[in-house]
Amino acid sequence: MIYDLIVVGGGPAGVAAGIYASRKKIKTLLLAKNFGGQSIAAGEINNFIGVKSISGVKLAESMEDHLRAQEGVEIKSGVFVSNIEKNNGVFIATTDNNEKFESKTLLIAVGSHYRRLNIPGEKEFEGKGVSYCSICDAPIFKNKITAVIGSGNAGLATVIDSLLYASKIYLIEYAESLKGDMILQEKIRKESKVEIITMAAVQEIIGNNFVSGLKYKDLRSGDIKELKLEGVFVSIGYEPNSDLVKDLVNLDKHKQIIINHQTQQTSQEGIWAAGDITDVLYKQINIAIGDGIKAVLNIYDYLKK
């Protein structure tokens, strides 16, 4: 069977696309490892329009329930798409268990993954004091001294998640000032247990069987300094999961899929992309949902032609 559309990804963009594909009666298959995307790691989401406050887990569950209530969309969850190719005008998606599915069009919405520091000690101590998910691991560091590297919204949210548990939190930023939303900055600046260190380049994470500290370069003085601590959260952003289609579509220097921002079309006819995997300017749940919807509406027009 050849589908009209295969949606790859179960984050906000993919789910929104699936729901709208159902409404447009497009013969659709949605392939997803899991549902929720990066939002599942958020302890509390306060800017999802129409909902005052919701946890990332609850939002993911709600999205999945909404999608599964639709008719006409086949869903395969718990599968990882390992390869995509184009053959005689038809796209073939292969999963990690070697199932193959064919479609006239594709929507890529597989988001991104945590960006690494790529410094000594990071890989060695992952799971031994180095973490990338505060909602998952903040409780592990109860009454411990921790550091959060990165001051974008992800880093500031990590500090907020850690406030309930850590005895002290160092917020370490490479630049001269913090980057995240002012409302989050104001919140953490009121907390006495948070110490902000700017103009700091982390050089190494140290320890024996478990993290015991980190070294950073003071970019003002040039000195190498050491902090004694028991946990490190790396929150320096995300990297797109674009390797899946790197030979099919054009990517920018950040490995983001370059799209037509009016239609979500990629450089490859028949492939659209939405969400954090694209070169969209702002990475937000609400925007990803809108872009997933926009893509499906354009796919519908394309299929009609």
Side-chain angles (χ1 to χ4, degrees):
M1 178 174 65
I2 297 179
Y3 294 91
D4 289 328
L5 168 64
I6 290 178
V7 178
V8 185
V15 170
I19 291 169
Y20 266 71
S22 170
R23 294 174 63 84
K24 288 295 186 180
K25 303 295 182 183
I26 301 171
K27 185 165 65 176
T28 301
L29 170 66
L30 187 142
L31 301 172
K33 186 70 174 175
N34 48 43
F35 289 95
Q38 293 172 16
S39 62
I40 202 167
E44 187 177 17
I45 298 169
N46 298 309
N47 60 352
F48 186 70
I49 305 304
V51 181
K52 290 181 180 177
S53 179
I54 189 170
S55 72
V57 171
K58 289 293 185 184
L59 180 60
E61 291 173 350
S62 177
M63 286 182 175
E64 182 180 357
D65 288 346
H66 193 176
L67 175 64
R68 291 189 182 279
Q70 309 306 304
E71 295 181 356
V73 175
E74 185 179 343
I75 301 167
K76 287 188 177 292
S77 58
V79 298
F80 175 77
V81 177
S82 57
N83 186 62
I84 290 174
E85 58 185 309
K86 188 176 185 180
N87 186 21
N88 294 325
V90 174
F91 295 100
I92 303 167
T94 304
T95 67
D96 51 357
N97 56 6
N98 210 34
E99 287 185 288
K100 294 182 183 293
F101 303 98
E102 297 182 342
S103 179
K104 299 173 187 175
T105 64
L106 286 175
L107 173 58
I108 308 300
V110 289
S112 54
H113 59 272
Y114 296 113
R115 182 175 287 126
R116 264 57 175 176
L117 288 164
N118 294 319
I119 60 171
E122 180 182 21
K123 185 176 181 180
E124 293 84 344
F125 292 109
E126 186 170 341
K128 301 176 183 178
V130 173
S131 174
Y132 300 86
C133 175
S134 57
I135 192 64
C136 314
D137 295 337
I140 295 172
F141 301 104
K142 187 174 182 179
N143 299 324
K144 296 180 185 290
I145 301 171
T146 63
V148 174
I149 302 170
S151 73
N153 283 343
L156 299 183
T158 297
V159 172
I160 291 168
D161 289 340
S162 301
L163 286 171
L164 288 172
Y165 304 101
S167 58
K168 182 176 180 62
I169 305 163
Y170 293 101
L171 175 57
I172 301 174
E173 168 55 45
Y174 184 89
E176 198 169 358
S177 58
L178 305 188
K179 298 175 181 176
D181 290 347
M182 289 305 301
I183 191 168
L184 299 178
Q185 291 190 36
E186 290 168 1
K187 184 171 183 176
I188 67 167
R189 288 183 188 280
K190 295 176 183 176
E191 300 291 338
S192 59
K193 67 168 67 174
V194 177
E195 182 176 336
I196 298 170
I197 303 173
T198 58
M199 296 290 285
V202 180
Q203 304 291 296
E204 181 182 3
I205 297 170
I206 57 178
N208 291 312
N209 296 322
F210 204 84
V211 169
S212 63
L214 65 76
K215 294 180 180 179
Y216 71 92
K217 182 177 182 179
D218 185 325
L219 297 177
R220 294 183 178 89
S221 66
D223 296 337
I224 300 297
K225 298 182 178 180
E226 184 175 327
L227 295 174
K228 302 222 177 272
L229 42 81
E230 299 155 285
V232 176
F233 285 102
V234 180
S235 300
I236 56 172
Y238 303 90
E239 204 166 283
N241 296 317
S242 56
D243 284 352
L244 182 63
V245 289
K246 66 181 180 180
D247 297 324
L248 287 171
V249 304
N250 291 339
L251 308 179
D252 67 11
K253 64 181 181 180
H254 302 296
K255 297 176 65 177
Q256 301 174 128
I257 297 176
I258 299 171
I259 58 167
N260 177 322
H261 290 272
Q262 290 184 310
T263 63
Q264 303 297 126
Q265 287 181 318
T266 70
S267 59
Q268 174 73 248
E269 183 177 355
I271 299 183
W272 284 253
D276 288 2
I277 197 171
T278 73
D279 62 347
V280 65
L281 185 57
Y282 302 111
K283 315 295 188 186
Q284 296 286 311
I285 295 171
N286 294 296
I287 293 172
I289 288 172
D291 285 351
I293 293 168
K294 190 199 307 180
V296 166
L297 294 177
N298 192 247
I299 289 168
Y300 176 74
D301 290 341
Y302 175 86
L303 290 169
K304 280 176 62 180
K305 293 176 183 176

